Amino acid sequence: MNLYLNGLPHVYELQRLAQMFFFGEKVLAQEGATQPEEEYLEVRQEGHKLCARVCLQGRDATAWDEQEPDDDALEQERKLAVLLFDLLKQATGFTPPWGILTGVRPIKFLTHGLAQGASEQQLRRHYMEECLVREDRFALAMQTANIEHPLLARSTPDSVSLYVSIPFCPTRCAYCSFVSHSVERAAKLIPEYVDRLCMELVHTSAIVRRLGLKLRTIYFGGGTPTTLSAPQLERIMQTLADQFDLGQLWEYTIEAGRPDTITPEKLQLIQRMAPDARISLNPQTLSDCVLQTIGRRHTTAQLREAFALARDCGLKNINMDLIAGLPTDTQESFQASVDGVIAMQPENITVHTLTVKRAAALTFAQARAQVELVGGMVDYARQALATAGFAPYYLYRQTGSLSCLENVGYSKAGFEGLYNIYIMDETHSIFAVGAGASTKLMNPQTKKLERIFNYKYPYEYISRFPVALERKDRILEFYDA
């Protein structure tokens, strides 16, 4: 599908907006006049008027709006987006629930509005009238923002978080697009990878001390960090304890998402090294049939055993992830997964909408069958979790998610995942170590963002490690400036 822009500069947002209506297809932005095609999209400006046109499925529709003298570029973009949205909604019969919002962080405007004293009425007008967000999604966003607001306020200009990348998994899930490697293929890299990772932690800790920053949250992600052996995991955690001041730490999270990587030795180590640790045991589904479909080699019984073991080891803050819309999952089996996870009584439950990534094995064609079911799945989870005493504390969206729906973290009061909130809001700097890790620097005065990328693959990270350390020194340049 081609989107013709006729000299207008709003390529990115309008292309992203149009893409929401064409699941699995590409929308290509084209400059210049339309070509003799049966189907296309077009936006243009004629004098003081803005115009959008949609030729689709044998229908040709056009909509107009006035360009006011005081409209800036953002307002022009919003008006064009509204025109295009309304025409595509009529042509396809699909109404994206978040309206013309296309970004990853649809509630960031809310949290910042609350911080600046905006009223709910003002925010409602912006979201629902100006951006066409659906009533139920605005209510979800507002509830989430109200919980986030005081937690965001805890962050100080000298706060920093740390992400530790462990890009290894027992197997690669069908929906996964992360740079994770199965242990079968990458086991020989792990010892040297751990060596380099600990060296980078030492280097990063010196930067934290020199800048006088306070480490607030630590997040071990991946991959599956518990793919490492207990001695390897202990070495990394001990390096953290030796090199960083953990006395002002608010949260220590370790993803242990695959129950087939969990042993009593690893859980006892985590509880000993980080007694208040938050761990993630991520079933994604409690259906063994669906687990097999997506390429997981564990069973629901193993997941339940791992959860019980974590409790027996004294871990008191457990997150569990579910994914709505997995291939072969049904409304009934997803509801059983939600009810089953709630019955286990974790402190956090995160509900993701299946997102199709071009780097994943799962195809758009395989996922398309779930599009009509996923909305009911997500809504059931929200209602069931609210009844069980869980409230939404962070929310984000991804390109390619079924029905343009969201990912939401729910928690019991007092167990909100702070790292998740801070990275989604871009509240303060996140220093990241390991392969595929991206350091995100935030200037607390200007809110300017800058990223420093590590090498993507473990073998690159190992072989070019001196360059990775040199890149870290750009953190000092950023703060000095």
Side-chain angles (χ1 to χ4, degrees):
M1 178 65 63
N2 286 324
L3 168 64
Y4 292 94
L5 290 148
N6 292 290
L8 291 168
H10 315 296
V11 178
Y12 182 75
E13 282 299 322
L14 294 181
Q15 186 179 24
R16 289 281 302 276
L17 175 91
Q19 191 69 67
M20 294 193 296
F21 291 87
F22 299 97
F23 183 71
E25 299 179 37
K26 283 188 176 181
V27 174
L28 303 176
Q30 305 284 357
E31 181 49 58
T34 58
Q35 300 299 310
E37 304 166 65
E38 291 185 1
E39 297 190 335
Y40 63 89
L41 315 175
E42 179 188 20
V43 291
R44 65 180 188 269
Q45 182 176 4
E46 294 184 7
H48 296 296
K49 290 186 178 293
L50 300 172
C51 176
R53 182 180 182 185
V54 170
C55 291
L56 190 64
Q57 298 174 354
R59 298 176 58 188
D60 186 341
T62 304
W64 300 83
D65 198 357
E66 288 288 337
Q67 169 89 339
E68 301 297 335
D70 58 346
D71 285 351
D72 59 13
L74 283 176
E75 179 61 9
Q76 183 189 66
E77 181 178 84
R78 187 195 69 80
K79 287 183 174 180
L80 285 167
V82 168
L83 292 174
L84 191 59
F85 180 92
D86 283 338
L87 289 176
L88 285 169
K89 180 178 70 173
Q90 295 169 32
T92 64
F94 171 55
T95 304
W98 289 96
I100 65 170
L101 299 183
T102 62
V104 173
R105 303 168 178 84
I107 69 167
K108 190 171 182 179
F109 184 88
L110 276 180
T111 56
H112 288 221
L114 290 172
Q116 294 166 10
S119 68
E120 182 172 340
Q121 183 179 6
Q122 291 172 312
L123 296 170
R124 175 183 290 271
R125 182 171 62 251
H126 173 73
Y127 271 73
M128 294 185 61
E129 296 178 18
E130 297 177 1
C131 296
L132 310 182
V133 174
R134 209 165 68 192
E135 169 74 38
D136 61 339
R137 261 49 202 175
F138 173 75
L140 172 63
M142 198 72 215
Q143 185 183 8
T144 307
N146 280 323
I147 292 172
E148 277 194 10
H149 180 51
L151 301 174
L152 291 170
R154 291 179 64 182
S155 179
T156 52
D158 58 357
S159 293
V160 68
S161 290
L162 179 68
Y163 179 82
V164 182
S165 172
I166 312 294
F168 305 100
C169 276
T171 60
R172 188 179 177 99
C173 296
Y175 54 79
C176 181
S177 65
F178 285 103
V179 183
S180 56
H181 298 261
S182 68
V183 172
E184 296 166 347
R185 296 177 56 193
K188 63 182 181 182
L189 295 175
I190 293 179
E192 194 170 2
Y193 181 83
V194 171
D195 288 344
R196 298 294 188 274
L197 184 65
C198 289
M199 292 170 64
E200 189 179 5
L201 283 170
V202 172
H203 189 81
T204 304
S205 70
I207 293 173
V208 171
R209 286 193 300 273
R210 175 173 165 179
L211 295 174
L213 301 176
K214 295 181 174 64
L215 185 57
R216 299 303 196 186
T217 75
I218 296 172
Y219 194 99
F220 278 61
T224 306
T226 44
T227 300
L228 301 182
S229 68
Q232 289 166 341
L233 190 59
E234 181 174 19
R235 184 178 170 199
I236 297 169
M237 296 183 75
Q238 189 62 57
T239 300
L240 277 165
D242 292 343
Q243 297 295 324
F244 291 85
D245 177 7
L246 305 185
Q248 299 182 76
L249 194 69
W250 295 335
E251 180 180 270
Y252 199 134
T253 297
I254 298 178
E255 288 189 358
R258 301 285 286 267
D260 43 343
T261 68
I262 292 171
T263 65
E265 186 182 10
K266 293 176 190 178
L267 292 175
Q268 290 163 4
L269 164 69
I270 292 170
Q271 203 282 330
R272 174 169 54 83
M273 298 287 294
D276 297 320
R278 175 183 183 271
I279 68 166
S280 289
L281 296 172
N282 300 333
Q284 315 302 15
T285 174
L286 296 186
S287 166
D288 286 342
C289 292
V290 179
L291 285 172
Q292 290 178 7
T293 299
I294 62 176
R296 289 204 163 204
R297 293 181 182 172
H298 65 83
T299 64
T300 297
Q302 286 177 288
L303 182 280
R304 294 184 186 279
E305 290 168 6
F307 186 91
L309 183 60
R311 289 298 198 210
D312 290 342
C313 289
L315 292 162
K316 299 180 176 64
N317 189 354
I318 299 177
N319 172 74
M320 303 183 81
D321 281 9
L322 292 171
I323 299 179
L326 289 171
T328 72
D329 209 358
T330 66
Q331 182 73 30
E332 293 73 24
S333 58
F334 180 78
Q335 289 181 196
S337 294
V338 172
D339 296 342
V341 167
I342 289 174
M344 295 168 72
Q345 299 185 23
E347 286 66 37
N348 295 253
I349 298 175
T350 305
V351 180
H352 298 270
T353 300
L354 178 66
T355 299
V356 183
K357 298 290 188 181
R358 299 192 184 278
L362 179 71
T363 66
F364 284 97
Q366 290 172 304
R368 190 171 282 111
Q370 300 296 84
V371 168
E372 294 184 5
L373 294 177
V374 72
M377 292 176 172
V378 168
D379 290 344
Y380 178 83
R382 181 182 175 191
Q383 294 163 8
L385 288 163
T387 300
F390 290 83
Y393 73 90
Y394 93 112
L395 183 157
Y396 69 102
R397 299 172 64 210
Q398 292 175 282
T399 301
S401 64
L402 302 190
S403 292
C404 302
L405 288 166
E406 63 284 337
N407 306 318
V408 184
Y410 297 87
S411 77
K412 296 290 184 70
F415 289 95
E416 297 82 8
L418 298 178
Y419 175 88
N420 291 330
I421 292 173
Y422 294 146
I423 194 167
M424 278 301 131
D425 186 77
E426 299 172 325
T427 308
H428 57 232
S429 292
I430 310 280
F431 294 175
V433 298
S438 172
T439 291
K440 185 184 292 186
L441 304 175
M442 199 280 288
N443 185 313
Q445 280 77 43
T446 66
K447 308 304 180 186
K448 174 189 174 185
L449 289 171
E450 185 175 318
R451 289 173 173 81
I452 302 172
F453 297 97
N454 271 5
Y455 289 107
K456 189 174 182 180
Y457 299 104
Y459 67 87
E460 286 181 300
Y461 174 76
I462 292 168
S463 65
R464 306 184 71 179
F465 184 71
V467 180
L469 288 191
E470 289 176 13
R471 289 179 178 178
K472 272 290 182 299
D473 291 337
R474 284 167 50 194
I475 296 173
L476 294 171
E477 297 172 12
F478 180 88
Y479 276 86
D480 288 343

